Amino acid sequence: PDSFGIDTLERMRSVSESVPIVIQTGLNDLDLAQMAVKGGAMDYLVKGEFDGRLLYRTIRFAIKHHSLQQDLEDTQERLRETTQELQLLREETDPE
């Protein structure tokens, strides 16, 4: 109640980037929705325009998407580390 819009999202993201966020708002504003998703929200729901089934699916999707995103980031980091290790091995064994 003491926060509004994108400011709320930014405050939530500053507390924890590891929690998927779905925004519920009373505004049907596509620009705000796009800003929220660009700002880290997984999805955006407008009050009165969704039922329990849609809420459930949206939350499940957000959790799954976030999990896959984390897996991808972890895999990319391992790939960077492996690439660096291979580069070091090449430098050590290069007969220059």
Side-chain angles (χ1 to χ4, degrees), residues 10-84:
E10 290 172 355
R11 287 177 57 194
M12 294 287 295
R13 299 300 295 163
S14 71
V15 172
S16 176
E17 290 189 16
S18 65
V19 175
I21 298 172
V22 175
I23 304 239
Q24 177 185 340
T25 182
L27 305 173
N28 191 357
D29 182 344
L30 184 57
D31 291 333
L32 180 60
Q34 290 173 341
M35 284 177 35
V37 170
K38 285 181 183 176
M42 291 287 147
D43 209 342
Y44 181 93
L45 296 171
V46 178
K47 289 178 188 174
E49 294 187 12
F50 63 93
D51 60 10
R53 293 168 87 191
L54 179 58
L55 177 61
Y56 175 79
R57 284 194 322 238
T58 301
I59 291 170
R60 297 284 300 164
F61 174 80
I63 292 168
K64 183 65 173 176
H65 182 266
H66 185 75
S67 175
L68 290 171
Q69 194 172 33
Q70 290 299 115
D71 290 348
L72 177 61
E73 289 173 9
D74 292 345
T75 300
Q76 288 172 328
E77 180 59 28
R78 285 193 311 272
L79 179 59
R80 278 190 291 275
E81 291 170 359
T82 301
T83 301
Q84 289 174 348

